[in-house]
């Protein structure tokens, strides 16, 4: 399952549920932000930072739930990419 949480002309934020994990994928357009800058790309789940792995300046991802339960507990996801900052409640 894939759910787009945010999409504009520079950045797309998507949550992907696959293989028992939940992952947030970040994709940047050619004119978008550099996702390989570890100080400017931050993913936080319930107040705890997650490791963000950049495949390139245009794509990065972070595991937000290591092992999904049949009915996952609600979590708060926050993503900051340079000036972009947004939060979502997931699995409500």
């Amino acid at each position: 399952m894939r759910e787009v949480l945010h999409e504009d002309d520079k950045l797309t934020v998507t949550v992907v549920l696959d293989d028992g994990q939940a992952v947030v994928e970040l994709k940047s357009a050619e004119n978008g932000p550099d996702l390989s800058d570890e100080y400017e790309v931050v993913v936080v789940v319930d107040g705890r930072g997650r490791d963000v792995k950049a495949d390139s300046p245009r794509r990065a991802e972070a595991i937000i739930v290591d092992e999904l339960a049949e009915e996952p507990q609600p979590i708060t996801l926050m993503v900051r990419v340079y000036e972009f900052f947004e939060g979502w409640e997931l699995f409500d």
Side-chain angles (χ1 to χ4, degrees), residues 20-23 45 50 62-69 72-73 75 91:
Q21 290 184 325
V23 176
V45 175
R50 295 295 182 160
I63 297 171
I64 57 174
V65 179
D66 292 315
E67 294 181 30
L68 280 173
Q73 296 294 315
I75 63 169
F91 312 121

Side-chain angles (χ1 to χ4, degrees), residues 1-3 14-25 59 61-69 72 91:
M1 183 194 98
R2 299 176 72 82
E3 181 178 348
T14 306
V15 169
V16 179
L17 305 179
D18 192 25
D19 293 332
Q21 290 184 325
V23 176
V24 65
E25 290 182 349
R59 186 180 183 290
E61 66 179 30
I63 297 171
I64 57 174
V65 179
D66 292 315
E67 294 181 30
L68 280 173
F91 312 121

Side-chain angles (χ1 to χ4, degrees), residues 40-61:
E40 295 295 343
V41 180
V42 179
V43 174
V44 175
V45 175
D46 292 336
R48 294 182 177 218
R50 295 295 182 160
D51 289 333
V52 178
K53 295 184 175 145
D55 296 335
S56 71
R58 301 290 157 241
R59 186 180 183 290
E61 66 179 30

Side-chain angles (χ1 to χ4, degrees), residues 18-37:
D18 192 25
D19 293 332
Q21 290 184 325
V23 176
V24 65
E25 290 182 349
L26 308 171
K27 292 185 181 177
S28 175
E30 279 298 316
N31 63 339
D34 178 352
L35 299 177
S36 64
D37 186 339

